[in-house]
Amino acid sequence: MDSNPNDDLLAQLQASAAPSGPSNDELLAQLNAEPEPDPLANVEYTGNLETDSAAELDALAKGFRERTKREDERFRLATDSEYWFAVCFRTREDKEAFLQAARLMAIGDKYLDGYAVARALGIPMPTNEEGGES
């Protein structure tokens, strides 16, 4: 039976369309993350509808402002380009030969955790993975 010349192309398209999704470690981190604080947790209710409604609105507005500050910091960290660098080679084979020789291929072949690379190369880092002093 003759194979369809488009089979390879179809397989490539299907593979690229498959959802890659987060890794198990990323999912576990999301599941174990601290929940957002309840902005109404500290509202003291008086029984007066007008007073209690105003207190809830104030607490919600404060919660939104605090969430905005956290999100602004998260965005700054996510888009800051001063914490990474790139190393380029002429060919994929050269890149992979380098990673194999440096014993880094187990960490990845494109985006590597800098702390894992430092550990593999025996380089002490001034801060730990969580960003605090070591």
Side-chain angles (χ1 to χ4, degrees), residues 79-89 95 98-99 102 104 109-118 121 123 125:
T79 59
D80 179 10
S81 64
E82 296 300 319
Y83 66 93
W84 67 274
F85 67 96
V87 177
C88 300
F89 297 92
K95 174 204 66 164
F98 172 83
L99 290 171
L104 298 173
D109 70 342
K110 194 162 196 78
Y111 298 102
L112 286 69
D113 181 307
Y115 295 100
V117 169
L121 297 177
I123 299 171
M125 297 300 296

Side-chain angles (χ1 to χ4, degrees), residues 115 123-128 131-134:
Y115 295 100
I123 299 171
M125 297 300 296
T127 60
N128 63 26
E133 296 298 317
S134 46

Side-chain angles (χ1 to χ4, degrees), residues 1-2 6 16 27 32 37 39 51 53 57 60 67-68 82 101-102 111 114 118 126:
M1 182 167 139
D2 292 314
N6 292 322
S16 67
L27 288 172
N32 290 323
T51 302
S53 297
L57 284 174
L60 288 171
R67 170 62 191 208
T68 298
E82 296 300 319
Y111 298 102

